Amino acid sequence: MNLDAIKFDERGLVPVVIQDADSGEVLTLAWANREALERTLQTGQTHLYSRSRQALWKKGETSGHVQDLVEMRLDCDGDAVLYRVRPHGPACHTGARSCFHNPVTSEATPPLGWVLEQVWRTIQERLETMPEGSYVARMHAAGLDRILKKIGEEAGEVIIAAKNPDEAELAWEASDLLFHLLLTLAERGLEPADLARVLNERHQPG
């Protein structure tokens, strides 16, 4: 990124939107000066500028909740910056994952990408801890062949549901299929980001 293209305000600051690179969730809105942007690009981790302390700071320096930079973008007017990150812990000082956790309007259903990311993280946590009574732990113990058999079963149920008039049934069965697909990816050491990369490459015009 050419930092000379950024339109800093009279204080030498620019607003920074910080977004989860995997789920698309907006984590916080902060500020950065040129040095903070340079440090972020150099280190690959979120650096910002505190207006209250009037000092440069690194996200997670004391809490350990650092954010790894995936991409930095500049908006069309050059007066706002986007950090796309992979967070290691909550973004908010309250302990919430996102600073935007106080709804003003009635809460809508979260985007599919956000929900899938939460499901994915739960699957990973279950595979790491193998808690008693966990469906993920039980399927893992049964082995990959059992999981793949379940994929076939769920795919068949999606086909049947799609032929029926009950849309709720189709949504239910399709959700089961997606869950077991994520479990299969985890078992094989892949991540949703691997699918996103392939789909993005296919989606490119040309």
Side-chain angles (χ1 to χ4, degrees):
M1 175 184 287
N2 179 14
L3 299 185
D4 292 332
I6 298 176
K7 299 176 183 176
F8 295 96
D9 66 15
E10 66 279 1
R11 301 163 297 176
L13 302 177
V14 64
V16 178
V17 176
I18 302 179
Q19 178 188 45
D20 188 305
D22 295 317
S23 69
E25 181 181 14
V26 175
L27 300 177
T28 193
L29 172 67
W31 295 84
N33 59 9
R34 188 184 184 97
E35 183 182 2
L37 297 175
E38 290 173 342
R39 292 290 297 276
T40 299
L41 290 171
Q42 291 168 0
T43 65
Q45 293 187 324
T46 293
H47 285 73
L48 299 162
Y49 184 84
S50 170
R51 293 176 298 169
S52 60
R53 300 194 304 271
Q54 295 189 347
L56 185 76
W57 65 287
K58 174 186 175 182
K59 172 62 181 172
E61 192 165 21
T62 56
S63 67
H65 301 152
V66 297
Q67 297 172 343
D68 296 330
L69 182 71
V70 174
E71 182 182 24
M72 186 185 294
R73 294 186 183 184
L74 182 62
D75 83 335
C76 58
D77 294 322
D79 58 2
V81 174
L82 173 69
Y83 287 3
R84 297 182 62 243
V85 304
R86 290 202 171 95
H88 296 272
C92 185
H93 72 282
T94 65
R97 174 172 168 75
S98 167
C99 290
F100 295 94
H101 58 270
N102 296 313
V104 177
T105 58
S106 58
E107 187 173 0
T109 301
L112 176 61
W114 185 89
V115 175
L116 289 177
E117 180 65 22
Q118 306 316 302
V119 173
W120 171 253
R121 290 176 179 173
T122 299
I123 289 173
Q124 289 183 308
E125 188 272 333
R126 296 292 190 272
L127 289 175
E128 290 173 1
T129 61
M130 296 292 284
E132 185 178 353
S134 164
Y135 176 77
V136 170
R138 187 164 70 250
M139 291 296 288
H140 174 75
L144 181 61
D145 286 348
R146 177 68 187 96
I147 297 172
L148 297 179
K149 181 180 179 181
K150 190 66 176 174
I151 288 251
E153 294 171 359
E154 298 297 346
E157 291 176 2
V158 168
I159 293 171
I160 294 171
K163 299 286 286 184
N164 294 330
D166 190 343
E167 295 179 352
E169 178 188 6
L170 175 57
W172 182 275
E173 299 299 348
S175 298
D176 280 348
L177 180 58
L178 283 175
F179 173 85
H180 288 91
L181 178 59
L182 289 175
L183 180 55
T184 301
L185 293 178
E187 288 286 339
R188 289 300 314 276
L190 295 176
E191 297 185 357
D194 295 306
L195 273 64
R197 182 174 58 254
V198 172
L199 290 171
N200 183 62
E201 291 171 354
R202 291 181 182 178
H203 183 65
Q204 297 301 316

Short mmCIF file of all heavy atoms in Angstrom, two decimals, residues 104-127:
data_model
loop_
_atom_site.label_atom_id
_atom_site.label_comp_id
_atom_site.label_asym_id
_atom_site.label_seq_id
_atom_site.Cartn_x
_atom_site.Cartn_y
_atom_site.Cartn_z
N VAL A 104 -28.83 -1.88 18.66
CA VAL A 104 -29.73 -0.74 18.74
C VAL A 104 -31.08 -1.12 18.15
O VAL A 104 -32.13 -0.75 18.67
CB VAL A 104 -29.14 0.46 17.98
CG1 VAL A 104 -30.11 1.63 17.98
CG2 VAL A 104 -27.80 0.88 18.59
N THR A 105 -31.04 -1.89 17.07
CA THR A 105 -32.27 -2.43 16.48
C THR A 105 -32.38 -3.89 16.88
O THR A 105 -31.47 -4.46 17.48
CB THR A 105 -32.24 -2.30 14.95
OG1 THR A 105 -31.08 -3.00 14.45
CG2 THR A 105 -32.16 -0.84 14.54
N SER A 106 -33.51 -4.51 16.55
CA SER A 106 -33.69 -5.93 16.85
C SER A 106 -32.64 -6.74 16.08
O SER A 106 -32.34 -6.44 14.92
CB SER A 106 -35.09 -6.39 16.45
OG SER A 106 -35.33 -6.15 15.08
N GLU A 107 -32.09 -7.74 16.76
CA GLU A 107 -30.99 -8.51 16.19
C GLU A 107 -31.47 -9.36 15.03
O GLU A 107 -32.46 -10.08 15.13
CB GLU A 107 -30.36 -9.39 17.26
CG GLU A 107 -29.11 -10.10 16.80
CD GLU A 107 -28.41 -10.82 17.93
OE1 GLU A 107 -28.91 -10.76 19.08
OE2 GLU A 107 -27.38 -11.45 17.67
N ALA A 108 -30.77 -9.26 13.91
CA ALA A 108 -31.10 -10.06 12.73
C ALA A 108 -30.30 -11.36 12.76
O ALA A 108 -29.35 -11.52 13.54
CB ALA A 108 -30.77 -9.28 11.46
N THR A 109 -30.70 -12.30 11.92
CA THR A 109 -29.94 -13.54 11.79
C THR A 109 -28.55 -13.22 11.27
O THR A 109 -28.40 -12.50 10.29
CB THR A 109 -30.64 -14.50 10.81
OG1 THR A 109 -31.95 -14.78 11.29
CG2 THR A 109 -29.86 -15.79 10.67
N PRO A 110 -27.49 -13.71 11.93
CA PRO A 110 -26.14 -13.40 11.48
C PRO A 110 -25.88 -13.95 10.08
O PRO A 110 -26.52 -14.93 9.67
CB PRO A 110 -25.24 -14.08 12.52
CG PRO A 110 -26.12 -14.66 13.54
CD PRO A 110 -27.52 -14.57 13.11
N PRO A 111 -24.93 -13.38 9.35
CA PRO A 111 -24.59 -13.88 8.02
C PRO A 111 -24.09 -15.32 8.07
O PRO A 111 -23.51 -15.74 9.07
CB PRO A 111 -23.49 -12.93 7.54
CG PRO A 111 -23.61 -11.71 8.40
CD PRO A 111 -24.16 -12.19 9.71
N LEU A 112 -24.31 -16.04 6.99
CA LEU A 112 -23.90 -17.45 6.94
C LEU A 112 -22.41 -17.60 7.22
O LEU A 112 -21.99 -18.52 7.94
CB LEU A 112 -24.25 -18.04 5.57
CG LEU A 112 -23.80 -19.49 5.32
CD1 LEU A 112 -24.44 -20.44 6.32
CD2 LEU A 112 -24.11 -19.92 3.90
N GLY A 113 -21.59 -16.71 6.64
CA GLY A 113 -20.14 -16.83 6.84
C GLY A 113 -19.76 -16.74 8.30
O GLY A 113 -18.89 -17.48 8.77
N TRP A 114 -20.42 -15.84 9.03
CA TRP A 114 -20.12 -15.68 10.46
C TRP A 114 -20.51 -16.94 11.23
O TRP A 114 -19.76 -17.42 12.07
CB TRP A 114 -20.87 -14.48 11.01
CG TRP A 114 -20.54 -14.18 12.44
CD1 TRP A 114 -19.54 -13.37 12.89
CD2 TRP A 114 -21.19 -14.69 13.60
NE1 TRP A 114 -19.53 -13.33 14.27
CE2 TRP A 114 -20.53 -14.15 14.74
CE3 TRP A 114 -22.26 -15.55 13.80
CZ2 TRP A 114 -20.92 -14.44 16.03
CZ3 TRP A 114 -22.64 -15.85 15.10
CH2 TRP A 114 -21.98 -15.30 16.20
N VAL A 115 -21.69 -17.48 10.92
CA VAL A 115 -22.16 -18.68 11.63
C VAL A 115 -21.25 -19.86 11.34
O VAL A 115 -20.87 -20.62 12.24
CB VAL A 115 -23.62 -19.01 11.23
CG1 VAL A 115 -24.06 -20.33 11.86
CG2 VAL A 115 -24.56 -17.89 11.64
N LEU A 116 -20.87 -20.04 10.07
CA LEU A 116 -19.99 -21.15 9.72
C LEU A 116 -18.64 -21.02 10.43
O LEU A 116 -18.05 -22.03 10.84
CB LEU A 116 -19.78 -21.20 8.20
CG LEU A 116 -20.98 -21.65 7.37
CD1 LEU A 116 -20.65 -21.57 5.88
CD2 LEU A 116 -21.41 -23.07 7.73
N GLU A 117 -18.16 -19.80 10.59
CA GLU A 117 -16.90 -19.59 11.29
C GLU A 117 -17.02 -20.02 12.76
O GLU A 117 -16.10 -20.63 13.32
CB GLU A 117 -16.48 -18.13 11.20
CG GLU A 117 -15.16 -17.80 11.89
CD GLU A 117 -13.96 -18.48 11.26
OE1 GLU A 117 -14.04 -18.86 10.06
OE2 GLU A 117 -12.94 -18.63 11.97
N GLN A 118 -18.16 -19.71 13.39
CA GLN A 118 -18.37 -20.11 14.79
C GLN A 118 -18.46 -21.64 14.90
O GLN A 118 -17.90 -22.23 15.82
CB GLN A 118 -19.64 -19.47 15.36
CG GLN A 118 -19.70 -17.95 15.22
CD GLN A 118 -18.40 -17.26 15.58
OE1 GLN A 118 -17.89 -17.40 16.69
NE2 GLN A 118 -17.87 -16.49 14.64
N VAL A 119 -19.16 -22.25 13.96
CA VAL A 119 -19.27 -23.72 13.95
C VAL A 119 -17.89 -24.34 13.75
O VAL A 119 -17.51 -25.31 14.43
CB VAL A 119 -20.24 -24.19 12.85
CG1 VAL A 119 -20.22 -25.72 12.73
CG2 VAL A 119 -21.66 -23.71 13.16
N TRP A 120 -17.11 -23.76 12.83
CA TRP A 120 -15.77 -24.27 12.56
C TRP A 120 -14.89 -24.20 13.81
O TRP A 120 -14.18 -25.16 14.13
CB TRP A 120 -15.14 -23.47 11.42
CG TRP A 120 -13.70 -23.76 11.19
CD1 TRP A 120 -12.63 -22.96 11.50
CD2 TRP A 120 -13.15 -24.95 10.61
NE1 TRP A 120 -11.46 -23.58 11.15
CE2 TRP A 120 -11.74 -24.79 10.60
CE3 TRP A 120 -13.70 -26.12 10.10
CZ2 TRP A 120 -10.89 -25.77 10.09
CZ3 TRP A 120 -12.85 -27.10 9.59
CH2 TRP A 120 -11.47 -26.92 9.59
N ARG A 121 -14.95 -23.10 14.51
CA ARG A 121 -14.14 -22.96 15.72
C ARG A 121 -14.58 -23.93 16.81
O ARG A 121 -13.75 -24.44 17.57
CB ARG A 121 -14.22 -21.51 16.22
CG ARG A 121 -13.48 -20.54 15.30
CD ARG A 121 -13.64 -19.10 15.72
NE ARG A 121 -12.89 -18.23 14.82
CZ ARG A 121 -12.93 -16.91 14.84
NH1 ARG A 121 -13.68 -16.31 15.74
NH2 ARG A 121 -12.23 -16.20 13.98
N THR A 122 -15.88 -24.18 16.88
CA THR A 122 -16.38 -25.16 17.85
C THR A 122 -15.87 -26.55 17.51
O THR A 122 -15.45 -27.31 18.40
CB THR A 122 -17.92 -25.15 17.89
OG1 THR A 122 -18.37 -23.86 18.29
CG2 THR A 122 -18.44 -26.19 18.87
N ILE A 123 -15.90 -26.91 16.23
CA ILE A 123 -15.39 -28.21 15.81
C ILE A 123 -13.92 -28.35 16.18
O ILE A 123 -13.48 -29.39 16.73
CB ILE A 123 -15.58 -28.39 14.29
CG1 ILE A 123 -17.06 -28.59 13.96
CG2 ILE A 123 -14.76 -29.58 13.76
CD1 ILE A 123 -17.38 -28.61 12.47
N GLN A 124 -13.13 -27.32 15.91
CA GLN A 124 -11.71 -27.37 16.25
C GLN A 124 -11.50 -27.53 17.75
O GLN A 124 -10.65 -28.32 18.20
CB GLN A 124 -11.02 -26.09 15.77
CG GLN A 124 -10.87 -26.01 14.25
CD GLN A 124 -10.11 -24.77 13.84
OE1 GLN A 124 -10.45 -23.66 14.25
NE2 GLN A 124 -9.08 -24.94 13.04
N GLU A 125 -12.29 -26.79 18.54
CA GLU A 125 -12.16 -26.88 19.99
C GLU A 125 -12.51 -28.28 20.49
O GLU A 125 -11.83 -28.82 21.37
CB GLU A 125 -13.06 -25.83 20.65
CG GLU A 125 -12.89 -25.68 22.14
CD GLU A 125 -13.76 -26.63 22.93
OE1 GLU A 125 -14.82 -27.03 22.41
OE2 GLU A 125 -13.37 -26.98 24.07
N ARG A 126 -13.56 -28.86 19.92
CA ARG A 126 -13.96 -30.21 20.33
C ARG A 126 -12.89 -31.25 19.97
O ARG A 126 -12.62 -32.18 20.73
CB ARG A 126 -15.28 -30.59 19.67
CG ARG A 126 -16.47 -29.73 20.07
CD ARG A 126 -16.88 -29.95 21.51
NE ARG A 126 -18.15 -29.30 21.80
CZ ARG A 126 -18.30 -28.04 22.20
NH1 ARG A 126 -17.21 -27.28 22.39
NH2 ARG A 126 -19.48 -27.53 22.43
N LEU A 127 -12.27 -31.09 18.82
CA LEU A 127 -11.24 -32.03 18.40
C LEU A 127 -9.98 -31.90 19.27
O LEU A 127 -9.25 -32.87 19.46
CB LEU A 127 -10.88 -31.81 16.93
CG LEU A 127 -11.96 -32.23 15.92
CD1 LEU A 127 -11.55 -31.85 14.51
CD2 LEU A 127 -12.23 -33.74 16.00
#
